[in-house]
Amino acid sequence: MELRQLQIFVTAAQTLNFTKAAMKLGYTQSNITSQVRQLEEELQVKLFERFGKGLRLTSEGKHFHQSAENILEQCEKAKSELTPDIFQGVLTIGAAETLCVNRLPKILLEYRKKYPRIEIRVQTESCYQLFQLLRTNSVDIALALAGNIQQPDMIVRTLYEEAMTVVISPLHPLAQQQKLEPVDLAAECLILTTEGCGYRPVVLAALEHQQVKPGAIMELSSVGAIKECTACGLGIAILPKIAVHDELLRKKLIELNWLGPPLDVKTQLIYHRDKWLSPAIQAFLELCETMGK
């Protein structure tokens, strides 16, 4: 049994797709299939089984997955203890779309200057999905835009308090009144992110507190799509101000003064309580906190 085989198996177990695992690791799909088959022959168990058109882990595969992750983590830990001053390896980050565009690039720029030998992988997901990725050790650390996060198995650190803003098209009938009360949404279409977005519950809770139900709701998974639909006059959006900064400057969107309850949203850094923090991860944590001050 080789460490390379364990890495291939763990990646395949995370993606449940040999093609995606091959792309992630830079191998051919046939190589992935061959290495998994050799591992199964050595262990004399079936690790994967076909489920419809996809793959899933067998019960033996699930048990071995945890063991394989532990072995790889211990190997990485041993290497870092022998060469503590050499920052190398892979850092995998999960992040909300808005943060990938507006917060993360500056952090990564500084990180790359200090630690050029570390390979960085970034995955964009919803807040809910980020928690799942952290629990399966598919990402090392996550950055989410959300209200107060209550997850007992996670360590959560606030980096930025984020202002939320109400935006509409300059051609929208409400553009002239320059303010928006929650009750105004009773006759309007509210354009929202899909379920799983960290700040969606904050917006809906504020409306529920005022006993207001929007006249209609349009859901889009992309913040970019939300901005375009809002600019076309399809409805009203409530988004982090950092996400609409450029559109406000170009007057593609205009901002209304929100007269409803406070919308408490933060950029938060999250990692699993049981995660072993390699030097690469610790360095990223320290840089995030320094830049967030």
Side-chain angles (χ1 to χ4, degrees), residues 29-207:
Q29 182 181 344
S30 60
N31 194 359
I32 297 292
T33 304
S34 173
Q35 292 298 323
V36 170
R37 187 179 297 118
Q38 289 179 32
L39 193 56
E40 288 178 327
E41 290 174 356
E42 182 174 349
L43 296 172
Q44 296 185 338
V45 296
K46 196 75 173 172
L47 298 172
F48 294 95
E49 61 182 349
R50 286 288 172 186
F51 185 70
K53 294 183 179 180
L55 286 176
R56 69 179 180 185
L57 288 168
T58 62
S59 58
E60 293 84 2
K62 291 177 182 178
H63 181 76
F64 186 66
H65 183 208
Q66 185 62 56
S67 298
E69 282 191 329
N70 290 339
I71 291 170
L72 292 174
E73 190 167 284
Q74 288 301 314
C75 287
E76 187 65 30
K77 184 177 181 180
K79 286 195 295 183
S80 69
E81 288 173 348
L82 290 172
T83 56
D85 296 328
I86 300 177
F87 284 72
Q88 54 189 354
V90 179
L91 176 66
T92 307
I93 304 165
E97 177 192 354
T98 298
L99 296 180
C100 278
V101 175
N102 297 283
R103 293 287 189 202
L104 192 55
K106 290 182 180 179
I107 296 173
L108 293 181
L109 180 61
E110 290 302 313
Y111 190 76
R112 286 284 297 156
K113 287 178 182 177
K114 293 184 177 182
Y115 314 110
R117 298 179 63 180
I118 295 176
E119 181 180 341
I120 301 170
R121 298 172 183 167
V122 180
Q123 187 169 340
T124 303
E125 295 289 352
S126 68
C127 187
Y128 173 79
Q129 188 61 29
L130 289 176
F131 294 136
Q132 303 305 109
L133 293 173
L134 288 167
R135 290 188 177 106
T136 58
N137 205 32
S138 300
V139 298
D140 299 316
I141 202 160
L143 289 169
L145 263 173
N148 293 323
I149 294 174
Q150 303 294 331
Q151 300 288 336
D153 57 342
M154 301 290 169
I155 301 294
V156 181
R157 303 182 185 180
T158 297
L159 300 182
Y160 303 94
E161 299 285 344
E162 301 290 0
M164 297 289 285
T165 186
V166 178
V167 291
I168 60 174
S169 165
L171 303 177
H172 195 284
L174 291 178
Q176 303 304 314
Q177 73 180 43
Q178 299 182 337
K179 61 183 180 180
L180 186 80
E181 297 188 31
V183 69
D184 293 330
L185 285 170
E188 300 294 337
C189 175
L190 178 62
I191 306 179
L192 285 173
T193 50
T194 51
E195 289 188 16
C197 169
Y199 53 82
R200 173 187 165 118
V202 176
V203 173
L204 293 179
L207 296 180

Side-chain angles (χ1 to χ4, degrees), residues 182 201-214 258 261:
V202 176
V203 173
L204 293 179
L207 296 180
E208 185 177 351
H209 182 266
Q210 297 291 305
Q211 299 182 328
V212 171
K213 184 177 180 180
W258 170 248

